[in-house]
Amino acid sequence: MSKSRYYSVAFPPLLLLFAFMASSGMAQTATIEGTVVDGSTGDPLPGANVAIEGQNVGASTDQNGRYSISGIDPGVYTVQASFVGYDEEVQEVEVEGTVTVDFELVPSEQALEEVVVVGYGEQRQEQVTGSVSQVGASDVEDVGAPSASEALQGQASGLMVHRTGVPGKSPEVRIRGLTTLNSNEPLYIVDGVERDDLLGINTSDIESIEVLKDASAASIYGSRASGGVVLISTKSGQAGEIQVDVNSSVGMKNPHQRLDLLSTEQYMEVNTELRQNAGSPPPARFNEEGFPESFPETDWQDAYFENAMYSNNNVAVSGGTEDARARVSFGYLTEEGTIPETGYERYSLSVNSDFDVGRFQFSEN
């Protein structure tokens, strides 16, 4: 931080003006923008995370792989890009004004040791021959999305989530594009039970998500899995002292695509020229007294749309012994719509218990 010293000296007005302009320039902020693509194919990576190390700022890429981090002070920063299934890339850049920093991420080739749910049981990751992507509980919770479908955005390669913007409506989920058999929507399996969508699933109750993306899914579930399979395992109680987990998140949504509308004068000019080219006179209302001065200019997008708040609150209690374990959770989600008088409320209750009696195990969910 630079310090200024002031002396009791009379400065000419021109020097004072120059000093004011210099101090104003120091307050300017900088912007880092660019793209994140697959280093082997050049395809954009939507949902990739770009962050500045040591700073609590960052951004996610859009559908075209573009990102923008604005409002930062000029200086030298270390910028990091990451995406599920790819190695992280770090670049050190000097930022002044607007700087473009592009990333080409390389797919990760590290061997994993996790156990993966594959529909008919469990296998070690290195023994799975099909295409499977795994998403952990921390990955889902970090997103802070109101629904499990939206939390999948950017978490698995080849999986695209198209949000409708309508509260309480399930987003469109596509695994490796469109198919021709049955529905293009994937098959959802939650704790072994088939579901039509994931609207009623509380993201805080999710332990892991496996996404089956190739023909091996159809060999297990048949033609219903032509659009892929999303397997979700929910959390269960663990042996030990009673544990209480409380989490709450609040967010805001606003329309991100706006139309650039014509003003009244621009509309009159375009309409008059259009009619002249067609050999027709301009509309009679253009010659009415007080037109267009007496007609207010209203952007109906501002009048119709509004910012919307959403809040997700959850409480979970878990614990037990080696022979009896249980977990109970309650969640409340409220989501306003960007269109007035629209919204969505969801109450969720989950009870999961396990009992070991000799050689037998009883579970309830």
Side-chain angles (χ1 to χ4, degrees):
M1 177 182 296
S2 61
K3 297 183 178 179
S4 301
R5 296 181 179 178
Y6 298 89
Y7 299 91
S8 180
V9 178
F11 287 90
L14 183 60
L15 290 179
L16 291 176
L17 178 61
F18 176 77
F20 176 78
M21 294 175 60
S23 62
S24 299
M26 295 175 61
Q28 292 181 353
T29 59
T31 300
I32 301 176
E33 61 183 17
T35 58
V36 180
V37 300
D38 187 314
S40 58
T41 64
D43 295 332
L45 297 177
N49 295 319
V50 182
I52 299 178
E53 291 187 356
Q55 304 286 331
N56 191 25
V57 293
S60 297
T61 57
D62 59 14
Q63 298 293 330
N64 299 318
R66 298 197 59 83
Y67 73 93
S68 178
I69 304 175
S70 58
I72 59 177
D73 296 329
V76 179
Y77 295 96
T78 301
V79 186
Q80 173 184 317
S82 61
F83 191 72
V84 176
Y86 291 79
D87 293 331
E88 295 180 352
E89 182 178 342
V90 177
Q91 296 188 33
E92 185 170 321
V93 295
E94 182 175 359
V95 181
E96 185 175 359
T98 301
V99 177
T100 299
V101 182
D102 296 329
F103 294 90
E104 296 183 0
L105 302 187
V106 178
S108 176
E109 297 180 355
Q110 295 181 353
L112 302 178
E113 297 294 333
E114 298 90 24
V115 173
V116 178
V117 179
V118 291
Y120 46 80
E122 295 180 346
Q123 291 183 349
R124 298 185 66 83
Q125 178 74 36
E126 66 270 14
Q127 296 175 340
V128 177
T129 58
S131 179
V132 180
S133 292
Q134 188 175 33
V135 182
S138 59
D139 298 323
V140 175
E141 293 175 356
D142 289 345
V143 175
S147 70
S149 299
E150 294 179 73
L152 289 173
Q153 176 68 57
Q155 301 289 349
S157 59
L159 187 147
M160 302 294 294
V161 179
H162 303 280
R163 302 180 183 181
T164 62
V166 180
K169 183 174 177 59
S170 180
E172 293 182 353
V173 179
R174 298 291 181 263
I175 299 177
R176 291 189 171 178
L178 302 178
T179 62
T180 56
L181 292 176
N182 298 326
S183 172
N184 290 304
E185 195 78 9
L187 177 65
Y188 299 108
I189 305 293
V190 180
D191 290 334
V193 179
E194 181 178 341
R195 295 179 61 97
D196 295 330
D197 54 53
L198 301 179
L199 278 179
I201 302 298
N202 190 339
T203 54
S204 295
D205 293 332
I206 296 177
E207 179 67 30
S208 66
I209 302 176
E210 278 78 32
V211 182
L212 311 185
K213 298 179 287 187
D214 60 6
S216 62
S219 67
I220 306 170
Y221 298 101
S223 60
R224 296 174 301 164
S226 59
V229 181
V230 176
L231 300 172
I232 295 181
S233 300
T234 59
K235 296 178 181 178
S236 59
Q238 303 296 324
E241 296 182 355
I242 294 179
Q243 180 176 344
V244 180
D245 297 319
V246 179
N247 65 75
S248 179
S249 61
V250 178
M252 176 178 290
K253 301 186 300 180
N254 61 307
H256 67 283
Q257 290 184 340
R258 302 290 296 271
L259 298 176
D260 188 12
L261 304 179
L262 298 176
S263 65
T264 304
E265 290 77 8
Q266 292 171 333
Y267 171 76
M268 291 178 59
E269 181 180 348
V270 172
N271 195 288
T272 300
E273 182 177 353
L274 178 66
R275 290 175 175 267
Q276 286 178 350
N277 293 337
S280 301
R285 66 179 183 276
F286 287 2
N287 299 320
E288 294 179 1
E289 183 178 355
F291 188 89
E293 291 78 9
S294 60
F295 285 76
E297 292 189 0
T298 302
D299 188 338
W300 292 105
Q301 297 173 110
D302 292 333
Y304 189 67
F305 295 106
E306 60 185 12
N307 294 333
M309 301 287 296
Y310 75 86
S311 175
N312 193 5
N313 308 279
N314 303 280
V315 178
V317 180
S318 62
T321 64
E322 294 294 337
D323 296 328
R325 302 164 300 280
R327 182 180 187 272
V328 179
S329 67
F330 174 77
Y332 172 65
L333 169 71
T334 175
E335 183 179 4
E336 298 177 352
T338 55
I339 299 175
E341 304 301 327
T342 62
Y344 174 67
E345 267 189 322
R346 184 192 69 199
Y347 295 88
S348 61
L349 176 64
S350 175
V351 179
N352 192 320
S353 59
D354 299 284
F355 301 94
D356 296 332
V357 181
R359 294 181 299 174
F360 300 96
Q361 184 179 55
F362 301 91
S363 299
E364 171 268 332
N365 189 355

